[in-house]
Amino acid sequence: GDTVFHLRMAAPPPSWEAYHEYITGMVAFVTGSPAVALRHYERAAAADDNWAMPRIAAAIMHMNLGSIASADSILAPLDTARHRLGPLEHGTLRMVLGMMRGDQRYTYDAVMTMARIAPGTINEFMVGEMARKLNRPAEAIAVLEGMGPERGELRGWTPYWRELAYAHHMRGDHTHELDVARRARVRHPHAVDVLGHEVRALAALGRVGELLQRIDERIASASGAWPDAGELMRMAASELRWHGHTDAAAEIAGRAVAWHEQ
């Protein structure tokens, strides 16, 4: 049942206890619980001092949770001793340092190295994400479509759909963007962030009736996840206005203001 095959490349191989905690943390991370993932990564690091990956993963979780100082305190000693790391651990460290520095080209080079070592993992997904951030949406689409959404670690990984939908959006191909968003909703019917992808595509296409149905659906939802109804309406109004649907944009912006004032 091991879908995280790149851990077999660890240098040195981890203890069973550390490996089990790391896998549990990975599941929590993929399913959108970074704070839970952090606890498991910290336990994995405590269980095996010689395995660097849990500490790097813990730093990533601190970064995702907004604690850059905590991430930096973990990464600094690893960076000093990077010659002791295996190739995948070294690449992951480079990726995180690139992210913290805001150096997207450096980060892209790091994830390319990681994807060659561990194809079909979140590392390869990161190639698509970084290509999109470097304004290369066609490359992002090719990478992500080549991977598919159900391989190994990517099962349940909703950011896959965010990157694929947004890459089509950047190319102005809103029909394919909508198709991606709706494929995502079939797989993740309760994921609010996935609903946002559909709203953006519908707004770009000017399909206001369907867009209003999606907004009403979000208003009726009890989920506290991002985006809330107000943010979804703001997103829709902005996209409508950008694509020339000014009357619909003004109407939905007014609804957003009223929602926030309740």
Side-chain angles (χ1 to χ4, degrees), residues 65-133:
L65 292 166
S67 181
I68 302 300
S70 296
D72 188 59
S73 68
I74 294 171
L75 295 174
L78 291 171
D79 193 24
T80 301
R82 65 167 61 191
H83 60 283
R84 299 178 184 175
L85 302 178
L88 187 65
E89 294 154 340
H90 187 195
T92 308
L93 176 64
R94 289 179 59 222
M95 176 193 76
V96 184
L97 291 174
M99 289 177 172
M100 292 181 66
R101 296 168 185 161
D103 188 336
Q104 294 186 352
R105 183 71 215 193
Y106 183 89
T107 304
Y108 175 84
D109 290 343
V111 298
M112 282 292 291
T113 299
M114 293 156 60
R116 283 192 290 268
I117 297 170
T121 66
I122 288 177
N123 299 314
E124 190 172 2
F125 159 82
M126 286 297 300
V127 174
E129 179 175 346
M130 294 312 302
R132 192 268 301 168
K133 289 181 176 179

Side-chain angles (χ1 to χ4, degrees), residues 2-19:
D2 175 11
T3 61
V4 195
F5 80 89
H6 69 270
L7 294 180
R8 302 173 201 161
M9 308 284 295
S15 69
W16 163 251
E17 182 182 359
Y19 180 85

